[in-house]
Amino acid sequence: MSLALVLAGLVLASCSGGAALALRRAPALAQRAACAVLVAGAALGIAGAALALGGAAPAGLHARWSVPGGALAVRLDALGAVFLLPVFGIPAAGSVYGLAYFAQARRGAQALRLQGFYGLVTGAMALVVLAANAMLFLAAWEVMALCGFLLVLTEQEKPEVQRAGFVYLAATHVGTLALFALFALLGSAAGSFDFARMAGAGLPATWGVFALALLGFGLKAGLMPLHFWLPGAHAAAPSHVSALLSGVLLKTGLYGILRVTGFFAAPPLGWGLALLAVGAASAVLGVAFALAQHDLKRLLAYHSVENVGIIAMGIGLALVGRAVGDPALVLLGFAGGALHVVNHALFKALLFLGAGAVDHACGTRELDRLGGLARAMPLTAALFLLGAVAISALPPLNGFVSEWLVYLGALRALSAPSLAAWAALAAPALALVGGLAAACFAKVFGTVFLGTPRSDQGARAHEAARAMLAPMAGLAACCVLIGLFPGLLLPALRRAASAWAPPAAGLAAGAARSAVDSASALTGCAAVLLAAAGLLAAWRRRRARGAPAAETWGCGYTRPTARMQYTGSSFAEMLTLRFGWAFFPRARVEPPRGPFPRRATFSSHVPDTVLDVALLPLLASASWGAERVRRLHRGQVQGQALLVGLTLLALLAWRFLWW
């Protein structure tokens, strides 16, 4: 029953774009029809996933496929069901949001094309999670990658969109090649490409397998330094597409890591420690790069790198637990990582939709051109603030609960033997990330929503439409519910952990219960304190009614202007300077000249270190060299002869020196 519901949801979501195409002569009706089909499919898919998480036995289907080594094999277990919740939930919210944000009546063919690929990528992601055969998995993976590429190219007339799409396409296919090698290695060792055969074959856990999995899945997940495609793609896509990319598509990479490591009964300790180190580096550097950004969507994209790192830290702790035989560490690490998959999908989608509302109202995402939007967009501001609190892992919201489980897992590692105790270093790294994230969102919210408008775009802002606010409110409600009642999810997380690491995770129910109970107590106390603070603020506001009002951040000036406010750059400068070793900022300065200068400007930009500082210059040098070689042998016999001679000399040198 659960698998049938999910498959029905997959088919409906994949076909939702067809409804828009059939009714394209009536654009508004066509978009509503496509949205209704996708939401209906999502409801079926979520119902099936909920049944699987509620205790339904794993279900599967197996049929022949003419592809060599392939089979139309699907299987739904509790591990896959955790990932299916955001796979179906976030596209449904984004589709409703798109009714007003990217209306087909206004956008025409762009919106029609977007709806087609939006539904198709939803179905492909669901099939990635359900696939129980490597060939079927790779086919769904490729469809998902191509649909993501076409979604990034929605506004293909813009040069920056074309560049972002090309980088994404190149990165995703490098990852796919690594996955081909990975599954060829596993399939040849197991004698089959079926996941069940791989899991039962007692495969040797080699570093080659781990490196290929980390490269192939890490590129999709956006782990540092494989994240380079992510900021550009997320900034270039429409906001509800960015929500899908960040909230869901990245998670398929983490699902792949979990699924492949689940094939091995006892993964080496080094796998867990390596993933923990990569996750910690992603989390710390991701939030540091976010602090240095001026574009709201690029900033949120770097926070995706940070949160993917936190999830990787949870998975790394669980792998360490499996290596040293500590069921409590397995369950805490896995539960923290898996719950953060769902939580990050919720609050990151909420933040991207909020950023889209700001962009829709003001026509810009530049932080230093915004300001004072809380007056014109109070509901958007409140929902964005809730998402900011959640992503900063502050109680009583959901981000705190999942990071709390990872904290407890890291502290649990202190009692592990020998090298495994180094996993405890995840705790201070996580604390640093939480502090930097809170500072970053204080900068974002203060710059965008407080103070006074810094430009005409900000002054003309208006509240978002109801169709945009409703899905944001739904996502915010989920953040609150999970934060206040995390114990409701514990049985589902235990089943998912048991599906990944049987029977270790089933032996630590007491440790998981006490961890979740402590999280519930903290979020409950925080909720009570917040309610008391809210009542006190309301009482003070009532008493102050009639008092003269002044501009925020007036600093005593009688006639303050918007230029006297903190900008996002100035607010974050003290923190970003601490990471100067990782940044290569580029600034353009026109200093004031003369005793009465009329003009002075300053602008700065922090490029991505991996893409803009390392990869692109390297590729440019390679292209320059290839062009010189091409000129050398084009139309000149002497040049061709020289090239042949040099090649022969190189081969002879290799033969005699290294062979």
Side-chain angles (χ1 to χ4, degrees), residues 78-92:
L79 172 61
V82 169
F83 285 84
L84 284 174
L85 295 177
V87 161
F88 283 111
I90 301 305

Side-chain angles (χ1 to χ4, degrees), residues 26-48:
L29 177 62
Q31 191 169 17
R32 289 195 194 101
C35 177
V37 173
L38 198 152
V39 170
L44 291 175
I46 290 173

Side-chain angles (χ1 to χ4, degrees), residues 551-571:
E551 298 289 350
T552 309
W553 294 343
C555 300
Y557 287 98
T558 55
R559 296 183 61 188
T561 70
R563 295 178 60 192
M564 296 176 183
Q565 302 173 107
Y566 268 109
T567 62
S569 307
S570 56
F571 183 90

Side-chain angles (χ1 to χ4, degrees), residues 285-384:
L285 291 177
V287 71
F289 272 96
L291 266 167
Q293 301 304 309
H294 310 307
D295 182 295
L296 182 53
K297 287 180 69 178
R298 278 184 71 88
L299 181 148
L300 294 177
Y302 275 110
H303 273 289
S304 296
V305 178
E306 169 219 336
N307 281 276
V308 163
I310 292 171
I311 297 168
M313 290 165 72
I315 300 172
L317 285 170
L319 285 171
V320 169
R322 288 180 65 181
V324 300
D326 185 341
L329 184 53
V330 174
L331 188 51
L332 288 173
F334 178 88
L339 185 56
H340 208 67
V341 166
V342 178
N343 288 342
H344 177 247
L346 291 170
F347 56 65
K348 184 48 70 65
L350 171 59
L351 290 169
F352 265 117
L353 298 187
V358 169
D359 189 17
H360 191 263
C362 304
T364 181
R365 305 189 306 256
E366 283 293 320
L367 295 180
D368 294 341
R369 297 185 63 79
L370 298 169
L373 297 187
R375 293 176 182 169
M377 308 175 70
L379 296 177
T380 300
L383 293 169
F384 191 94

Side-chain angles (χ1 to χ4, degrees), residues 472-496:
M472 292 166 63
L475 294 168
C478 292
C479 292
V480 174
L481 287 175
I482 293 176
L484 292 179
F485 307 105
L488 298 176
L489 301 176
L490 181 59
L493 292 171
R494 282 182 54 203
R495 291 188 186 98

